Amino acid sequence: MQLKQEVLEKNRPIRRQIQFPLSNGLMTYWFFAEPLHSSSGEVAGVVTAAIEVSEFEE
C-alpha cells in the first residue's frame, strides 16, 4: 500500500524490487505501479502489476 500511496502523491510511475521471505525461501518480485488519470487529467487511481523473478536472482 505504501508504494501505491507514493504513486498517488507524486503522480508518477514507480518500479521496485520487493522480496518476501516464505517457508521455502525468498521470493523476489518486480512491482510496477503508475497513476491512472481521469478524462479531465486528475489522478483517479493506481494501476499495478507484479512479476515473480526469484529464479533469475543470484
Side-chain angles (χ1 to χ4, degrees):
M1 287 303 281
Q2 182 181 1
L3 292 175
K4 291 180 183 180
Q5 186 64 37
E6 187 176 338
V7 170
L8 289 172
E9 291 171 0
K10 295 181 178 181
N11 192 20
R12 66 175 178 83
I14 293 177
R15 180 182 77 171
R16 295 233 173 97
Q17 188 178 55
I18 301 173
Q19 295 182 320
F20 296 99
L22 300 176
S23 61
N24 62 341
L26 197 60
M27 299 298 287
T28 304
Y29 293 85
W30 271 107
F31 178 82
F32 304 87
E34 67 178 72
L36 177 64
H37 295 95
S38 67
S39 59
S40 63
E42 295 180 32
V43 177
V46 178
V47 177
T48 61
I51 301 171
E52 194 263 317
V53 295
S54 301
E55 68 180 79
F56 302 109
E57 295 295 307
E58 294 183 9

